[in-house]
Amino acid sequence: MSVFARFVLATLCAIILAAIAHITAILVMPWTSANHAAERLVATSTAERPQLISGPGVETWLPLPDPSVAVAACAYDLAEGPFRFSTSSSAMMHSVSFHSRGAGVFFAVTDRATSASGLDIVVMTQEQRDIFETLPAAEDDRALRVVAPEASGFAIIRVLSPLSSQAQSALAEAQQASCVIEPLREPA
C-alpha cells in the first residue's frame, strides 16, 4: 500500500471516529445535563398551578425568550397516577407541549385543535391506560388521553398576547391552568 493510500485511510478513519464521538455526545447530553429543564421544574411537581418561567416582566432562565409569549410549566411524576392538565379557552392562543427527559417533546397541541371549552389532557403510562380502559367509562370525561414514554416529565403552556397591552392577561391565563395527579382506582 502506498504512502498516499495509507494517509487517506488514516484520515477517513479519523473522520469516522470523530463523527461517532460527536453523535454520541449529542445523544447522551439530555441524560447527563445537570441543568436540564426537568431538573429545574422538579419543585413544581406538587403544585396544582404551573410556575411562570418566561413572559413580560418575568425573570427567566430561558435563552432569548419571546416577550409576547407567557410561558409556564409544571412537572409531573406518574408513579401515583395519571397527570391531568386542563385550561379554559380564551381569545388568546394557548399551546401545550409535554416533555420527558429522554424523549424530548412527545405530544403538543393548541387550544384551537380541541373543544370550545378548553384543553383537557390526561397523561398516563401504558399500564395506567390499560387499567383505565377496564374502569366504567365516565361519559362526561372527554379528556384527550396521551401515553407518556417515561414516568416523569413536564408540561409547558404558552399563551400568546397579540398586543403588548394584553401581556398581563396572558401571564394570568398561563397561571390559571390546572396540573393535578389523579390516582386511578383499580377495578374490584
Side-chain angles (χ1 to χ4, degrees):
M1 189 180 276
S2 72
V3 174
F4 181 73
R6 282 188 275 172
F7 174 75
V8 170
L9 181 64
T11 304
L12 287 175
C13 289
I15 290 172
I16 291 170
L17 287 174
I20 290 171
H22 281 81
I23 291 171
T24 302
I26 289 169
L27 293 176
V28 169
M29 238 182 263
W31 285 281
T32 60
S33 174
N35 239 356
H36 190 272
E39 297 298 324
R40 291 178 187 236
L41 296 171
V42 155
T44 65
S45 63
T46 57
E48 291 187 7
R49 299 279 180 221
Q51 169 189 342
L52 277 175
I53 57 174
S54 177
V58 176
E59 181 102 8
T60 184
W61 43 266
L62 293 176
L64 302 171
D66 186 345
S68 63
V69 177
V71 181
C74 50
Y76 62 84
D77 186 3
L78 301 176
E80 296 179 21
F83 170 74
R84 182 178 289 264
F85 180 91
S86 57
T87 184
S88 58
S89 64
S90 72
M92 293 185 213
M93 202 254 338
H94 294 69
S95 72
V96 180
S97 58
F98 295 91
H99 306 252
S100 66
R101 184 173 179 119
V105 177
F106 64 89
F107 185 76
V109 68
T110 69
D111 63 340
R112 304 304 188 240
T114 61
S115 67
S117 62
L119 294 168
D120 191 14
I121 303 166
V122 178
V123 179
M124 55 183 73
T125 63
Q126 185 61 49
E127 294 81 22
Q128 291 167 342
R129 174 80 183 211
D130 295 341
I131 292 170
F132 185 82
E133 288 177 357
T134 63
L135 297 174
E139 293 178 16
D140 61 337
D141 187 17
R142 297 181 187 261
L144 184 61
R145 290 171 189 79
V146 178
V147 175
E150 297 178 6
S152 63
F154 56 96
I156 302 277
I157 181 171
R158 293 171 184 85
V159 180
L160 176 66
S161 58
L163 303 171
S164 59
S165 62
Q166 296 175 322
Q168 294 304 316
S169 298
L171 290 172
E173 285 191 33
Q175 287 183 298
Q176 290 303 315
S178 173
C179 303
V180 295
I181 296 290
E182 296 180 338
L184 283 177
R185 292 182 192 88
E186 302 233 4

